[in-house]
């Protein structure tokens, strides 16, 4: 019997995130129909973050990627890409997490929390922590 997980990504990406990275994210989130030409089908065999309308998570799956105003500087408004997704995953798919983590880690704006995963009935989280363009998963209680 398979285990099921809630997988959440919640972080800001740099406003200068390359368009091809944003296109790949949009495809994974179900916001784009065509697979980007730059996307390696071996590294990204199927959409990982597209909401399932029949999700078993309370409130369902969600997916969002939008350019947001996050403040002001001396030269004007400051923007970043807000990424938020929450999906119901099978344990067999957890190996694919690295595809998303590798894609976004170099572009995450602030070090620290970037999401988590948890077995659907568990209270323990594995937190995705971003640091210096990379990531680590840490157990949290």
């Amino acid at each position: 019997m398979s285990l099921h997980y809630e997988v959440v990504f919640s972080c800001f990406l740099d406003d200068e995130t390359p368009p091809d990275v944003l296109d790949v994210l949009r495809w994974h989130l179900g916001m784009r129909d065509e697979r980007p030409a730059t996307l390696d089908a071996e590294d990204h065999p199927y959409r990982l973050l597209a909401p399932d309308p029949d999700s078993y998570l309370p409130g369902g799956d969600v997916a969002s990627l939008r350019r947001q105003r996050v403040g002001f500087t001396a030269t004007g408004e400051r923007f970043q890409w807000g990424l938020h997704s929450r999906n119901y995953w099978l344990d067999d798919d957890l190996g694919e997490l690295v595809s998303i983590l590798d894609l976004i880690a170099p572009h995450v704006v602030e070090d620290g929390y970037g999401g988590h995963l948890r077995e659907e009935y568990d209270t323990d989280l594995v937190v995705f922590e971003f640091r210096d363009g990379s990531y680590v998963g840490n157990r949290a209680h």
Side-chain angles (χ1 to χ4, degrees), residues 61-93:
D61 288 4
V62 296
S64 176
L65 177 66
R66 64 185 188 99
R67 191 169 182 251
Q68 297 176 241
R69 184 179 62 215
V70 294
F72 297 90
T73 67
T75 59
E77 296 176 315
R78 188 170 61 114
F79 291 90
Q80 294 171 354
W81 288 96
L83 169 63
H84 183 78
S85 69
R86 176 180 181 244
N87 302 89
Y88 190 69
W89 286 38
L90 289 171
D91 56 354
D92 294 343
D93 295 329

Side-chain angles (χ1 to χ4, degrees), residues 1-138:
M1 182 165 172
S2 294
L3 295 176
H4 296 88
Y5 290 82
E6 172 190 53
V7 176
V8 174
F9 287 97
S10 186
C11 55
F12 281 104
L13 306 179
D14 186 66
D15 195 37
E16 301 300 318
T17 299
D20 60 323
V21 171
L22 295 173
D23 284 344
V24 170
L25 277 173
R26 285 184 186 106
W27 181 76
H28 274 295
L29 292 162
M31 303 168 76
R32 172 192 169 121
D33 290 333
E34 286 186 34
R35 176 189 289 272
T38 59
L39 187 61
D40 182 348
E42 283 190 32
D43 291 336
H44 302 263
Y46 48 88
R47 296 175 198 263
L48 296 170
L49 305 176
D52 178 353
D54 296 321
S55 174
Y56 291 106
L57 289 174
D61 288 4
V62 296
S64 176
L65 177 66
R66 64 185 188 99
R67 191 169 182 251
Q68 297 176 241
R69 184 179 62 215
V70 294
F72 297 90
T73 67
T75 59
E77 296 176 315
R78 188 170 61 114
F79 291 90
Q80 294 171 354
W81 288 96
L83 169 63
H84 183 78
S85 69
R86 176 180 181 244
N87 302 89
Y88 190 69
W89 286 38
L90 289 171
D91 56 354
D92 294 343
D93 295 329
L94 290 181
E96 300 297 330
L97 275 173
V98 70
S99 299
I100 301 297
L101 291 165
D102 285 345
L103 180 69
I104 66 174
H107 310 288
V108 171
V109 174
E110 295 197 20
D111 288 350
Y113 177 86
H116 68 267
L117 71 89
R118 69 175 181 87
E119 197 273 320
E120 73 179 312
Y121 297 112
D122 204 346
T123 58
D124 293 338
L125 304 176
V126 174
V127 173
F128 308 133
E129 184 177 343
F130 292 98
R131 291 237 179 274
D132 302 320
S134 191
Y135 60 88
V136 64
N138 294 311

